[in-house]
């Protein structure tokens, strides 16, 4: 699921687009931010549906083998068991999943070769042969083969990587979140009663998290001039064009959090933006940002502008 760091990345990407755009309608960018977040859920549903489609493909495979004039001994081993896999059957009865498939218009028929290629690779694996001979049809036992399809075939396929990149612009960044959401789904689907099996949540608490990203975006934009002035005062010895745009954005976001989000500890804010700079900016950015934010923090503390609700949140 999307944690606060992932959400900060989404805000950072939106602010970057805002900085480069002639359009300064904040509502447009807030809408784009929420669309970007929702795309993670879309990617998740498309992946679940891909697993569903691969399981159903055994019916086409069986039909093709049945039409053989002389079926081989190996043909006789393959059954349609995967299509009635307990995990897949539970997924197909999940109302949220079905509603999302319809909402996002999920349909892998636009590229049927992907499903066929995944099944072809699965069919040749030792794991699949073991699964076909396995007598335990409990969901705990049956989801192991679905985990194998996801981890060992889907995640390692260059064609699937290309398909997701073409459909989801943030795939390289969001792929990690997708893996966590699928892992959570495998954990959640543990009951033989499909009604009790829940899809993974997009965030731990969407009501709080949606407000967090919205306010972080809007207030960072609203107070851009003020926050940038704070940064400029502390970077007088630096030529402005030498400071990466991402560094400026991250520092403005950090200042915004320090001043406006009373429930987030100071240390968490500082550490989060240092870590983001390591991932998205230059090799020296984390040291630079740490130094500037320390100076700004000391000044804000001296002015009494850091108001944190709770013991230890200012430390």
């Amino acid at each position: 699921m999307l944690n606060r760091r992932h959400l900060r990345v989404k805000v950072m990407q939106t602010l970057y687009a805002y900085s480069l755009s002639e359009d300064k309608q904040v509502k447009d960018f807030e809408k784009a931010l929420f669309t970007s977040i929702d795309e993670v859920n879309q990617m998740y549903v498309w992946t679940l549906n891909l697993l569903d489609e691969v399981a159903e493909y055994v019916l086409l495979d069986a039909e093709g083998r049945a039409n053989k004039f002389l079926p081989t001994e190996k043909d006789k081993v393959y059954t349609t068991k995967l299509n009635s896999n307990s995990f897949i059957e539970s997924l197909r009865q999940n109302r949220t999943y079905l509603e999302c498939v319809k909402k996002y218009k999920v349909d892998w028929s636009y590229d049927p070769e992907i499903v066929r290629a995944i099944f072809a690779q699965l069919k040749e694996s030792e794991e699949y042969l073991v699964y076909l001979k396995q007598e335990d049809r409990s969901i705990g036992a049956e989801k192991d083969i679905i985990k194998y399809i996801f981890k060992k075939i889907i995640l390692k396929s260059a064609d699937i990587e290309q398909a997701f990149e073409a459909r989801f612009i943030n795939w390289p960044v969001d792929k990690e979140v997708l893996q966590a959401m699928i892992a959570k789904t495998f954990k959640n689907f543990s009951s033989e009663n499909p009604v009790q099996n829940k899809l993974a949540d997009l965030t731990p608490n969407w009501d709080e998290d949606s407000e967090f990203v919205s306010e972080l975006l809007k207030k960072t934009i609203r107070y851009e001039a003020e926050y940038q002035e704070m940064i400029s005062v502390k970077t007088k010895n630096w030529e402005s064009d030498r400071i990466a745009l991402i560094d400026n954005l991250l520092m403005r976001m950090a200042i915004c959090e320090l001043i406006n989000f009373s429930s987030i500890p100071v240390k968490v804010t500082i550490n989060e933006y240092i870590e983001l700079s390591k991932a998205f900016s230059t090799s020296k950015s984390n040291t630079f940002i740490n130094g500037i934010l320390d100076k700004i923090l000391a000044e804000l503390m001296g002015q009494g502008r850091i108001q944190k609700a709770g013991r230890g949140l200012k430390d």
Side-chain angles (χ1 to χ4, degrees), residues 220-233:
T220 301
I221 292 174
R222 184 183 307 155
Y223 301 113
E224 175 184 348
E226 178 188 350
Y227 297 161
Q228 190 58 50
E229 178 60 23
M230 293 182 192
I231 296 167
S232 298
V233 168

Side-chain angles (χ1 to χ4, degrees), residues 7 28 42 50 80 131 203 218 257 259-260 289 300:
L7 293 173
D28 292 343
Q42 288 189 48
L50 183 57
T80 60
Y131 166 72
T203 74
K218 291 187 290 188
E257 265 192 43
I259 295 173
N260 299 293
I289 286 177
L300 292 172

Side-chain angles (χ1 to χ4, degrees), residues 21 50 85 101 104 118 128 133 136 198 209 229 232 242 260 263 287 295 310:
S21 175
L50 183 57
N85 178 280
V101 168
Y104 297 133
I118 293 172
Y128 187 54
K133 296 173 184 177
D136 189 349
K198 308 296 182 184
D209 292 330
E229 178 60 23
S232 298
R242 289 183 58 200
N260 299 293
S263 64
T287 304
K295 293 176 183 178

Side-chain angles (χ1 to χ4, degrees), residues 47-70:
T47 304
L48 290 176
N49 187 252
L50 183 57
L51 293 169
D52 188 353
E53 290 289 324
V54 171
E56 189 176 358
Y57 190 84
V58 297
L59 301 179
L60 284 176
D61 181 69
E63 185 180 325
R65 285 184 286 103
N67 291 331
K68 278 188 175 181
F69 183 68
L70 290 173

Side-chain angles (χ1 to χ4, degrees), residues 67-247:
N67 291 331
K68 278 188 175 181
F69 183 68
L70 290 173
T72 65
E73 287 301 313
K74 199 171 184 181
D75 284 330
K76 297 175 184 179
V77 174
Y78 296 120
T79 67
T80 60
K81 179 182 177 182
L82 186 63
N83 187 53
S84 60
N85 178 280
S86 298
F87 175 88
I88 295 297
E89 283 294 296
S90 186
L91 180 65
R92 289 169 179 166
Q93 295 178 56
N94 186 283
R95 182 175 296 179
T96 304
Y97 166 69
L98 296 174
E99 289 173 351
C100 285
V101 168
K102 185 177 181 180
K103 172 186 174 183
Y104 297 133
K105 299 178 181 178
V106 181
D107 185 1
W108 282 99
S109 63
Y110 82 96
D111 195 349
E113 180 60 23
I114 288 180
V115 175
R116 190 207 65 78
I118 293 172
F119 182 75
Q121 189 174 338
L122 173 67
K123 191 176 176 181
E124 297 303 315
S125 69
E126 183 65 29
E127 286 79 3
Y128 187 54
L129 292 177
V130 170
Y131 166 72
L132 292 175
K133 296 173 184 177
Q134 178 181 290
E135 294 183 2
D136 189 349
R137 298 303 306 266
S138 68
I139 193 168
E142 291 236 301
K143 64 185 173 184
D144 285 343
I145 191 65
I146 308 302
K147 289 179 182 178
Y148 175 81
I149 296 170
F150 176 67
K151 294 179 180 179
K152 301 300 182 181
I153 301 179
I154 291 178
L155 287 181
K156 296 183 182 298
S157 167
D159 289 338
I160 296 171
E161 182 98 5
Q162 187 175 8
F164 273 105
E165 282 186 342
R167 181 167 290 276
F168 302 106
I169 190 171
N170 291 314
W171 164 255
V173 176
D174 293 338
K175 182 179 178 181
E176 174 191 336
V177 183
L178 170 66
Q179 292 180 58
M181 291 182 74
I182 295 293
K184 182 65 175 176
T185 307
F186 287 136
K187 184 177 180 180
N188 287 354
F189 276 54
S190 58
S191 174
E192 301 302 327
N193 182 358
V195 176
Q196 296 181 14
N197 297 327
K198 308 296 182 184
L199 297 189
D201 293 323
L202 182 58
T203 74
N205 186 326
W206 180 238
D207 288 341
E208 291 183 3
D209 292 330
S210 59
E211 182 180 2
F212 169 72
V213 294
S214 177
E215 290 301 300
L216 182 58
L217 175 73
K218 291 187 290 188
K219 288 182 177 177
T220 301
I221 292 174
R222 184 183 307 155
Y223 301 113
E224 175 184 348
E226 178 188 350
Y227 297 161
Q228 190 58 50
E229 178 60 23
M230 293 182 192
I231 296 167
S232 298
V233 168
K234 304 302 180 187
T235 56
K236 286 182 178 178
N237 295 329
W238 290 73
E239 296 176 17
S240 59
D241 59 353
R242 289 183 58 200
I243 302 175
L245 173 57
I246 290 292
D247 290 354

Side-chain angles (χ1 to χ4, degrees), residues 4 260-265 307-309 313:
R4 283 292 174 91
N260 299 293
F261 293 82
S262 62
S263 64
I264 302 177
Q307 301 295 323
K308 297 295 181 179
L313 295 186

